[in-house]
Amino acid sequence: MYFLSGILSYASMRNMWAAAPGVICNDQQQRLFIPLQDPNAGPLILGIEYEQGGMVDFKIFVTAPGNTTHIDLFLGGRPKTKIRRRLFPQGETIAPGLTAFQEIKMDDVPADTDFNALTVIAHDASYLGGTNAAEVVRAHGWAGALNFEKACRTLNNIDVDKKEEEIFMMVDPNETVLIIDWDKDDVDIKLAILTTPTTSDKAYDLTISGQKCKVIKIDGKYHVGRIVELDDVAYGSSLKAIEIHRLQLTRMRTYSIQGLTRIMG
């Protein structure tokens, strides 16, 4: 069995996974697509991309519409794990014969990383309910278009970080906080999930309805367990279209990448 103690080049990466059942190689873009072989993981594809400069991107693709499995990636030994989640409601072709409806990505992992520490975490997920950003900010006195300075003067029951130009508004008491982060040309919308007993078995997502969106999750920041973020939301975007979803997680499973792909030497 191979031990994934580092990748020297795309060629070595390709050789490493060439024996994985059903692997698809895209040599032009230096990408591999490998079906995951555990039936409990659902219809998933592992994507691996070698980037110039010695970095590797890992992706998990959900290939069935309506799949209720909630997937996370975790790299052991790091105080923070950053992943990006993209949703494709109409499906996105990722390789010949492969269509994805969700992508979970861990990007720019140094190629000399011990990839035995890379784990897929899967839960069964059921929908608990949701709201949208417009309803949240309205409860704090938001009306019309507000820049950071005007929001500080107008809103109530908020916390403010003037240096970062961020405003914090409670969504679910003792569970989640909505963060509006003003940038020069756009805003970032974040949902901070607090580290409390009531959030340990839940997941939260932000989406912009009708659009492909990118979500960032970061573990281990201050007293916050996770941050879910929508990057670079254009000024003037409808807050009503920014949806907050709350999920109940059950039946956790963890898989090593090595075990899922059945890499044998």
Side-chain angles (χ1 to χ4, degrees):
M1 182 173 286
Y2 289 111
F3 291 92
L4 312 182
S5 56
I7 295 172
L8 300 177
S9 65
Y10 171 71
S12 67
M13 183 179 84
R14 193 185 195 283
N15 290 337
M16 185 181 295
W17 272 283
V23 64
I24 297 174
C25 301
N26 182 332
D27 294 335
Q28 184 176 1
Q29 296 181 310
Q30 300 193 128
R31 296 173 181 171
L32 304 179
F33 299 92
I34 307 167
L36 301 187
Q37 299 299 309
D38 194 306
N40 288 329
L44 306 175
I45 297 291
L46 169 65
I48 309 171
E49 179 177 350
Y50 185 85
E51 296 184 334
Q52 299 302 321
M55 295 293 182
V56 178
D57 294 345
F58 285 92
K59 303 177 183 180
I60 300 292
F61 295 102
V62 177
T63 60
N67 188 322
T68 59
T69 303
H70 187 272
I71 302 295
D72 272 324
L73 281 169
F74 176 75
L75 186 59
R78 286 186 168 188
K80 299 180 182 179
T81 298
K82 180 175 180 178
I83 68 169
R84 299 173 183 266
R85 188 185 306 276
R86 298 180 69 195
L87 308 177
F88 307 113
Q90 306 305 316
E92 181 92 349
T93 300
I94 58 173
L98 288 180
T99 300
F101 294 87
Q102 188 176 161
E103 171 194 286
I104 300 92
K105 177 183 179 183
M106 181 183 296
D107 59 1
D108 296 337
V109 179
D112 59 357
T113 298
D114 180 1
F115 295 117
N116 293 294
L118 186 62
T119 302
V120 178
I121 303 172
H123 289 88
D124 293 343
S126 56
Y127 190 68
L128 289 175
T131 185
N132 60 64
E135 292 183 4
V136 174
V137 302
R138 190 180 301 119
H140 294 268
W142 189 298
L146 300 179
N147 59 23
F148 175 71
E149 291 78 11
K150 193 172 182 179
C152 290
R153 296 193 303 267
T154 303
L155 303 182
N156 55 70
N157 297 320
I158 62 172
D159 291 306
V160 177
D161 185 332
K162 291 187 176 180
K163 182 180 179 180
E164 299 296 332
E165 294 198 347
E166 293 180 334
I167 286 181
F168 302 76
M169 293 169 275
M170 188 66 67
V171 181
D172 298 306
N174 299 316
E175 287 195 7
T176 52
V177 177
L178 186 69
I179 305 169
I180 311 294
D181 178 4
W182 278 262
D183 295 330
K184 180 181 178 181
D185 299 316
D186 46 45
V187 294
D188 296 337
I189 310 293
K190 307 174 188 178
L191 187 72
I193 296 96
L194 306 180
T195 305
T196 65
T198 58
T199 62
S200 61
D201 61 350
K202 295 182 179 67
Y204 303 82
D205 275 329
L206 281 171
T207 69
I208 302 180
S209 59
Q211 297 183 26
K212 297 176 184 177
C213 60
K214 183 170 60 180
V215 180
I216 299 175
K217 288 191 175 181
I218 307 175
D219 297 330
K221 182 178 180 181
Y222 308 116
H223 298 296
V224 173
R226 285 162 284 162
I227 294 178
V228 185
E229 178 177 344
L230 290 172
D231 270 345
D232 304 334
V233 179
Y235 285 126
S237 295
S238 169
L239 291 175
K240 189 174 182 180
I242 298 174
E243 300 170 350
I244 301 170
H245 300 291
R246 191 165 174 257
L247 306 172
Q248 179 70 55
L249 302 180
T250 56
R251 209 169 69 88
M252 185 179 81
R253 291 90 72 192
T254 61
Y255 307 105
S256 70
I257 293 296
Q258 190 173 40
L260 279 168
T261 53
R262 301 289 194 271
I263 305 169
M264 300 298 294

